[in-house]
Amino acid sequence: MKRVALLGATGSIGRQAIEIVNAHPELELCAAASGSSSLDDVDVPLKQVGGDLTELLERAQPDVVLNAVVGFAGIHATLWALEHGVDLALANKESLVAAGELALSAQERGGGRILPVDSEHSALYQCLQGRDPETVHSLVLTASGGPFRGRSRESLAAVTVDEALAHPTWRMGRKITVDSATLANKGLELIEAHWLFGIDFGRIEVVVHPSSIVHGLVRFRDGAALAHVGYPDMRVPISYALAHPDRPATPVAALDFSGALTLSFEPPDLEVFPLLALAREAGEGGGTFPCAYNASNEIAVAAFLDGQIGFLDIAATVEETLGRVVGAPARDLHDLVEADSEARRLAARRLIAA
Ligand code: NAD
Ligand code: MG
């Protein structure tokens, strides 16, 4: 029996995770948390709305933490699991992007294992299982391209919140859906992949693949590439991360080729979607640049969702913030929280000026 602490239980990932846990007799919820929404309908011994997630984890002593909180708020739970040698099923990519080296050193001390829930990283993790790192040539992250694929920059100035929330292939929370429309989500995933797999940014490529059937590819030095394919459904990577090393059945259909299935790929448009290029720069800059990238993006996305700024202002806010921060590495969590707050302040100031 594996005892699961589910953080972000009322969200898109959280709800699907409850379905997976309920379907598998070897999984059991021991704790659930949300930010502000009620957990009345969740049947679990320990629950908490708001408050300190690490206190809940201390009480619950889970075998696996599924961190499905949105944003930097997930940082404490990520570090807690890694420090305590508890398996971390990680959906909350923002924490790994922001913490980078701190997360890896917590993992080195505590021995916590990261099982990626992000579909692309789950795909890459599976393609890399049992491979000698020396044989790996490069990683390929696929991106749907979002609702604005193929659009010109000018045409994006006046897009509405509803248009940005109309994702072609995935149903997700609002923040990640906007990130998918700006390609900031793929930018965060690029940095996430760097930390998860220890591969240089120069060897991680992003390719646009509109149907989201191929979730990730690993190219090897002999010219072979392994891909992970399947219908876009988060229950697959959630189940994989929670049940690892088992691969229990899910209600997701097997790939069907009886109708035609065409897979297409194209390079991302970095001019129209500058947040992808900015993520690469922030990742290569290292230190707290990725933390500032994430923090300013969180502020800008919240302002866009609130109708305070336009779609193109999201990238402009992140770019300006990155140009102003020092990016010095964080020695500890206190430094990191300070870097996050500073980037939020700078981004918020820019919003007022806009
Ligand atoms: P969501 O907005 O649907 O849900 C977020 C959850 O986090 C809610 O339960 C909310 O109450 C909780 N929460 C927010 N702030 C909190 C806090 N301070 N303390 C405790 N709980 C808090 O978001 P989502 O789409 O489920 O995404 C969650 C995470 O998973 C994000 O990091 C996202 O990038 C990642 N992710 C999501 C998907 C997807 O398909 N939804 C896919 C890949 C990765
Ligand atoms: Mg993803």
Side-chain angles (χ1 to χ4, degrees):
M1 191 60 108
K2 243 196 222 179
R3 299 169 65 254
V4 180
L6 175 57
L7 312 177
T10 55
S12 157
I13 294 287
R15 289 295 165 192
Q16 296 177 85
I18 291 173
E19 185 190 329
I20 292 295
V21 170
N22 288 341
H24 297 310
E26 67 278 17
L27 296 174
E28 155 186 280
L29 274 190
C30 64
S34 75
S36 55
S37 33
S38 158
L39 290 166
D40 286 350
D41 65 336
V42 184
D43 180 23
V44 58
L46 286 172
K47 44 181 136 179
Q48 180 176 302
V49 178
D52 182 347
L53 294 171
T54 60
E55 259 173 38
L56 180 73
L57 294 173
E58 284 293 341
R59 272 190 290 146
Q61 294 295 318
D63 299 313
V64 51
V65 174
L66 172 45
N67 189 352
V69 169
V70 60
F72 186 76
I75 188 89
H76 307 284
T78 286
L79 293 177
W80 185 94
L82 296 173
E83 276 304 341
H84 287 78
V86 173
D87 277 359
L88 173 64
L90 184 68
N92 177 242
K93 64 192 91 187
E94 295 94 339
S95 58
L96 186 59
V97 167
E101 269 145 5
L102 286 185
L104 291 203
S105 49
Q107 181 175 34
E108 237 164 67
R109 287 191 301 272
R113 182 170 59 158
I114 308 182
L115 296 154
V117 170
D118 217 346
S119 57
E120 297 78 1
H121 304 75
S122 176
L124 295 172
Y125 184 91
Q126 292 176 55
C127 293
L128 285 165
Q129 279 288 295
R131 314 288 163 191
D132 178 349
E134 269 196 15
T135 65
V136 174
H137 172 275
S138 52
L139 308 181
V140 182
L141 284 167
T142 51
S144 72
F148 303 137
R149 182 174 61 88
R151 295 273 291 260
S152 70
R153 207 179 139 67
E154 309 78 72
S155 78
L156 295 181
V159 295
T160 64
V161 170
D162 284 347
E163 288 173 301
L165 288 178
H167 196 274
T169 51
W170 297 97
R171 293 284 153 265
M172 311 177 286
R174 285 156 63 87
K175 191 261 177 181
I176 185 178
T177 305
V178 174
D179 285 348
S180 301
T182 62
L183 292 201
N185 182 50
K186 215 48 58 177
L188 294 169
E189 290 184 356
L190 175 69
I191 302 172
E192 181 187 12
H194 167 76
W195 292 118
L196 279 174
F197 305 117
I199 304 253
D200 299 342
F201 287 97
R203 293 198 294 143
I204 311 176
E205 190 182 343
V206 171
V207 63
V208 172
H209 165 54
S211 56
S212 304
I213 298 285
V214 179
H215 303 121
L217 295 103
V218 178
R219 296 194 191 97
F220 292 90
R221 65 183 175 190
D222 61 354
L226 292 182
H228 180 289
V229 305
Y231 294 117
D233 192 313
M234 288 307 295
R235 292 174 298 181
V236 178
I238 293 169
S239 175
Y240 185 88
L242 290 180
H244 189 77
D246 291 344
R247 191 188 280 274
T250 75
V252 180
L255 257 194
D256 179 8
F257 297 101
S258 60
L261 181 61
T262 308
L263 303 178
S264 70
F265 301 89
E266 65 196 45
D269 188 336
L270 299 179
E271 309 276 306
V272 178
F273 302 103
L275 279 164
L276 181 53
L278 286 169
R280 197 176 277 282
E281 275 171 38
E284 282 170 346
T288 47
F289 282 113
C291 174
Y293 174 90
N294 176 67
S296 53
N297 182 59
E298 284 189 34
I299 290 291
V301 170
F304 171 71
L305 284 169
D306 243 22
Q308 292 170 38
I309 60 170
F311 185 78
L312 296 177
D313 293 323
I314 303 173
T317 302
V318 173
E319 184 168 16
E320 259 191 55
T321 304
L322 287 174
R324 283 183 189 191
V325 296
V326 183
R331 287 157 303 181
D332 51 26
L333 181 57
H334 176 270
D335 276 4
L336 189 71
V337 170
E338 190 40 58
D340 172 81
S341 307
E342 173 64 5
R344 281 169 202 270
R345 273 194 294 275
L346 289 167
R349 201 185 299 163
R350 197 256 170 209
L351 295 183
I352 295 164

